Amino acid sequence: MATATADIAAGLPNLQWRTDARVLTTAHAALLRSLAAEVVNAQTFEDLEAVLGEHAHPTLRQAAYIAARFDETTRRLIRYMPYLGPYPVDAITHLTMLSTQHPPIEYTHGHLRRFALALLDVVDQVGDDVV
């Protein structure tokens, strides 16, 4: 076990808890960004690109995996959106309705595209300052 002598301890910074408005605002913003990164992560943006990108045409198997991840992102958005910013009721309602639909195979790509656009709409409404 190491011990610190008085002369060593005197050179250490005097750390104190700060609770002024500036520190709390900064901490709050950092926590919101962290939460938003967990809700809408890099995989979400990769999936959006796979569905909405210039050369997007996922296979039915890929579409099923992407739809499942969109469902999970939708659940996280519904759960954490009140903490992230203004709650876009219409956009969340539309996204929720799309997440509950399971169309026949021949309509899979169109449905997945609508689902991706609805998810992107909610992400856009959250804003770049949080996500």
Side-chain angles (χ1 to χ4, degrees), residues 35-125:
L35 178 60
E38 288 182 31
V39 173
V40 181
N41 54 30
Q43 182 64 55
T44 303
F45 289 107
E46 288 176 19
D47 289 341
L48 287 169
E49 178 65 27
V51 174
L52 300 173
E54 185 177 346
H55 302 289
H57 193 70
T59 66
L60 288 176
R61 183 181 197 134
Q62 291 169 328
Y65 287 126
I66 291 170
R69 288 191 295 266
F70 282 173
D71 282 337
E72 180 60 32
T73 301
T74 300
R75 283 193 289 279
R76 288 191 312 258
L77 276 169
I78 291 168
R79 183 173 181 190
Y80 295 114
M81 183 57 95
Y83 303 106
L84 296 177
Y87 199 87
V89 176
D90 293 339
I92 290 287
T93 301
H94 181 66
L95 181 63
T96 304
M97 288 180 2
L98 287 170
S99 73
T100 61
Q101 296 175 359
H102 301 286
I105 291 176
E106 61 267 18
Y107 301 116
T108 298
H109 286 99
H111 171 72
L112 189 60
R113 185 168 171 77
R114 285 188 299 279
F115 198 178
L117 288 169
L119 181 58
L120 186 59
D121 182 38
V122 172
V123 169
D124 285 345
Q125 289 188 37

